Amino acid sequence: MDKKQESYTVKEGTTYLDEQLFHDYHAQPSGHEFENLKSISLPSTLKAIGRDAFYWSEITSITIPAGVTSIDAYAFENCFHLTSVISEVEEPFTFGENAFSNISSDCILTVPLGKRDAYIAAGWTEVVFGGGIYEKATFTAKSYSIQYGSAIPALGYNVTGGPALGTPQLSTTATSASPVGTYPITISKGTVSNYGPTFVNGTLTITKAPLTITASSYTIEQGQPLPSFAVSYSGFKNGQTNAVLSKQPSITCSATSSSAPGTYDIIVSGATAGNYEISYVKGTLTITRPTHIELADGQTYSIAEDMDMEQITYSRTYKNTNWQAWYVPFEVELTSDLLSRFSFAKYAGTYVDENSDPSFFITIARLKAGDKLKANTPYFVQAKTASNTAQVISVANTTLKPAQETGFDMYSAEQKVSIRGVYSAKTATAGDCDWYAYGGGSYFKATAGAVLNPYRVYLTITERDDNPYGTSEAPNEIKVKLLGDDGATIIEEVQGAEEIQDAQIYDLSGRRIMKDKLDKGIYIIKGKKVLVK
């Protein structure tokens, strides 16, 4: 053996170390001394360490294999530089007299995990090992849980056993942009110099970040179009927007533009995203009673209840100065100013003129200042001037009525005329062509596909239940006459009944009157208004 070597490995298979085998050459000269031995590796087959085996040697550390069952007296006495003893023995025994006397006062004893108390009970105490008695060090990386998009925390570790000699290295592949999942936190030796340390990895769990989707709230007046519902987002990470959602949210509301005043929930739901836990905040749609409404000719009106209005405007484009159908959901008082721009008339009656072709007439009577046009009632209107721009009628402090298809009935001698108004378009079908639409001064029977615009009036003709003259064929055209404005309808005085002897007579409501029932009054005779005295 080379007496000058500083380290030595005992041959595998060796079971016993002879007495004084590795003692210091200067202290105890013999044939087996090691002059500069600082460290030694013992085999796993070793069972016993003999008396004075390392007496006064220069070794600084020693690892005792797990199979050793005895250490004889003075085996490590006066090993002044011995600062670390690592024992792998699971069942500690009592060592021989002064086996570890006069070793370094800072010497640390490291024992298997969970065996510290057993070693102390066997005499391996801190009186002998002044640096302390520790179990074998285990370095365990701490585990963490963060939300998606959060910064990676400062990685740490815990040590059991110990003490920790040096600092382990910690790392993870996760970043703040990593998707939801579990990532390892790897712990490795770093600068740790403990004997046989154990390293236990940790985990970094990235959970979904909270994302709140909030429905916006709105306020509209009843009858106004619903707004385009929108949402706002709170919680996106890494500069992301709703484009990252795998499914965009849906927005629903039970209200319609004609819903009654009140508050309605705006519900947002259905969004999905892999890295976000989504919650929703509903919005509200508040529908108030309107104070002003604009009705445009040709647009459907469907308000469901009466409402006091501060202002109503109705606009309509008149392309000519012919009489037109009038049907609106509000009351209008005729003023001089209004009558300077428009003429209004009401239905007066219906009659048959056998001397005219077509023979069916509806009469209308002009209205004057101070008269009131009722809501949901058919009338006639005539623009004094025509243009291709909308003419506006404004009404203040009135009531907006529900949309209804209402009207009244008139009678000729043989037929019943039902007059109705509409606020939505009416289209004739092949099986529904028995109504008449007004245009060009006359009512014409609708054909399949014909469309009646909103704010218009139509009529139907059926035979009277009490018709004494038999079945009458419905006309194809019905002419309208304005009483008092046509020479054919002026009042003529009649002195005697002989002049109406052969004529058919109707009252102003279109009812046929028998000659023997004729009283004083105004009648329609041969298409003319006649005063009978």
Side-chain angles (χ1 to χ4, degrees), residues 13-232:
T14 304
T15 60
Y16 177 73
L17 294 183
D18 295 338
E19 296 179 0
Q20 302 182 1
L21 180 60
F22 297 104
H23 67 281
D24 191 325
Y25 168 79
H26 296 289
Q28 297 290 339
S30 73
H32 307 287
E33 62 279 291
F34 276 75
E35 185 174 335
N36 295 310
L37 185 64
K38 299 292 191 303
S39 65
I40 187 168
S41 296
L42 302 179
S44 61
T45 56
L46 190 65
K47 301 296 183 183
I49 299 175
R51 183 185 180 93
D52 296 325
F54 293 92
Y55 179 76
W56 219 308
S57 71
E58 299 288 327
I59 60 172
T60 59
S61 64
I62 187 72
T63 298
I64 302 171
V68 173
T69 58
S70 66
I71 300 176
D72 291 344
Y74 312 110
F76 295 95
E77 187 179 24
N78 295 334
C79 291
F80 302 110
H81 303 288
L82 183 60
T83 58
S84 174
V85 174
I86 299 171
S87 176
E88 297 178 342
V89 175
E90 291 289 335
E91 298 297 332
F93 51 84
T94 300
F95 50 75
E97 182 183 5
N98 294 324
F100 290 97
S101 62
N102 295 325
I103 60 175
S104 171
S105 60
D106 296 325
C107 185
I108 295 173
L109 172 63
T110 303
V111 301
L113 193 63
K115 298 297 182 177
R116 183 176 185 275
D117 291 345
Y119 268 80
I120 292 173
W124 302 60
T125 67
E126 291 180 345
V127 174
V128 179
F129 301 97
I133 302 170
Y134 299 93
E135 295 177 354
K136 191 174 181 179
T138 297
F139 294 81
T140 302
K142 292 182 179 180
S143 292
Y144 301 88
S145 179
I146 63 171
Q147 292 177 350
Y148 170 74
S150 298
I152 301 300
L155 303 179
Y157 62 93
N158 293 317
V159 179
T160 56
L165 304 177
T167 303
Q169 181 177 347
L170 294 153
S171 63
T172 181
T173 59
T175 68
S176 60
S178 295
V180 167
T182 300
Y183 300 83
I185 297 175
T186 302
I187 185 169
S188 57
K189 185 174 182 180
T191 62
V192 171
S193 60
N194 293 64
Y195 172 77
T198 300
F199 297 98
V200 179
N201 292 337
T203 56
L204 175 63
T205 301
I206 299 180
T207 62
K208 291 185 177 184
L211 176 66
T212 302
I213 305 179
T214 302
S216 300
S217 293
Y218 304 88
T219 298
I220 64 170
E221 291 184 354
Q222 186 180 21
Q224 290 182 336
L226 294 182
S228 296
F229 296 127
V231 297
S232 59

Side-chain angles (χ1 to χ4, degrees), residues 345-391:
K346 66 179 180 179
Y347 287 82
T350 180
Y351 68 95
V352 176
D353 186 348
E354 294 181 347
N355 297 318
S356 178
D357 185 19
S359 61
F360 208 99
F361 284 87
I362 287 179
T363 59
I364 60 175
R366 187 186 298 274
L367 299 172
K368 63 184 182 301
D371 290 339
K372 289 185 178 181
L373 306 184
K374 297 179 181 179
N376 295 333
T377 304
Y379 292 97
F380 279 84
V381 63
Q382 180 189 45
K384 296 291 182 68
T385 59
S387 67
N388 286 323
T389 58
Q391 299 190 51

Side-chain angles (χ1 to χ4, degrees), residues 362-430:
I362 287 179
T363 59
I364 60 175
R366 187 186 298 274
L367 299 172
K368 63 184 182 301
D371 290 339
K372 289 185 178 181
L373 306 184
K374 297 179 181 179
N376 295 333
T377 304
Y379 292 97
F380 279 84
V381 63
Q382 180 189 45
K384 296 291 182 68
T385 59
S387 67
N388 286 323
T389 58
Q391 299 190 51
V392 177
I393 296 175
S394 296
V395 181
N397 299 319
T398 188
T399 299
L400 189 67
K401 296 293 185 179
Q404 298 177 15
E405 185 172 314
T406 59
F408 51 83
D409 299 330
M410 299 192 305
Y411 295 85
S412 69
E414 296 144 356
Q415 292 165 311
K416 172 184 176 182
V417 180
S418 297
I419 301 170
R420 296 290 182 269
V422 295
Y423 289 118
S424 57
K426 182 177 178 63
T427 303
T429 63

Side-chain angles (χ1 to χ4, degrees), residues 3 60 206 251 307 336 397 442 524 529:
K3 298 178 182 179
T60 59
I206 299 180
I251 312 170
M307 290 182 291
S336 298
N397 299 319
S442 299
I524 305 297
K529 289 173 62 177

